[in-house]
Amino acid sequence: MNLKRKNTRSMQALAVMVILLTWMVIACAGVNKAPIQQNIAKAEAAINNARNSDARTHAPLELTLAEEKLSKARTAFEKEEYQEADWLAEEAITEAKLAEAKARSAKAQATVKELEDTIQTLQNEIERQRRQ
């Protein structure tokens, strides 16, 4: 009687272990890496866009943060830390877009300043012409 209980418990423990092992294999194999790789590629593209917008000059902190997060995302992906890699790639995209927006804003402000200076010069010239 006692032997039957031990066998039953052993079989139950073995069944639980097999189920857990199967679940772990399915969970590991079930990670869809493609969306994470796409996010990493999107982060690379966003960083390139920011660089092309002169973010290195106008938003260096944000651009550097984006580059660092992209690097960390790549490392996490290589270590098979997929969720971490995905989060870091998303953060890199956000930082890069912020850097690009700041760079574009700075350029627009410089253009506005130039236009204001030109308008002022023209107004001064018109006023000088009137006085003559």
Side-chain angles (χ1 to χ4, degrees):
M1 197 76 158
N2 203 10
L3 186 58
K4 280 187 177 182
R5 279 190 191 160
K6 283 186 179 180
N7 277 344
T8 302
R9 285 187 183 157
S10 294
M11 291 300 287
Q12 287 173 341
L14 182 59
V16 168
M17 288 175 61
V18 167
I19 290 169
L20 288 174
L21 183 59
T22 303
W23 179 78
M24 287 174 51
V25 167
I26 290 170
C28 290
V31 173
N32 187 358
K33 299 174 197 173
I36 301 165
Q37 290 171 318
Q38 288 172 348
N39 272 346
I40 290 172
K42 286 178 187 176
E44 290 169 351
I47 288 170
N48 286 333
N49 289 341
R51 286 179 183 145
N52 291 336
S53 297
D54 293 329
R56 182 74 57 213
T57 301
H58 300 291
L61 175 63
E62 292 80 4
L63 182 59
T64 300
L65 287 172
E67 292 167 338
E68 288 173 358
K69 287 181 181 181
L70 175 59
S71 177
K72 288 178 183 179
R74 288 178 177 144
T75 300
F77 189 85
E78 289 171 5
K79 291 180 178 180
E80 297 181 2
E81 296 169 355
Y82 300 118
Q83 187 64 51
E84 183 74 12
D86 198 34
W87 287 335
L88 287 164
E90 288 286 343
E91 289 178 11
I93 292 167
T94 301
E95 292 290 346
K97 286 182 177 181
L98 177 60
E100 181 181 4
K102 281 186 150 184
R104 289 185 188 273
S105 176
K107 287 170 130 182
Q109 287 173 355
T111 301
V112 167
K113 176 72 171 115
E114 286 177 27
L115 289 172
E116 287 173 343
D117 291 346
T118 301
I119 290 169
Q120 185 63 46
T121 301
L122 289 172
Q123 286 175 339
N124 292 342
E125 184 61 26
I126 289 169
E127 188 63 33
R128 190 182 67 77
Q129 291 287 331
R130 282 188 187 161
R131 289 182 188 160
Q132 288 182 351

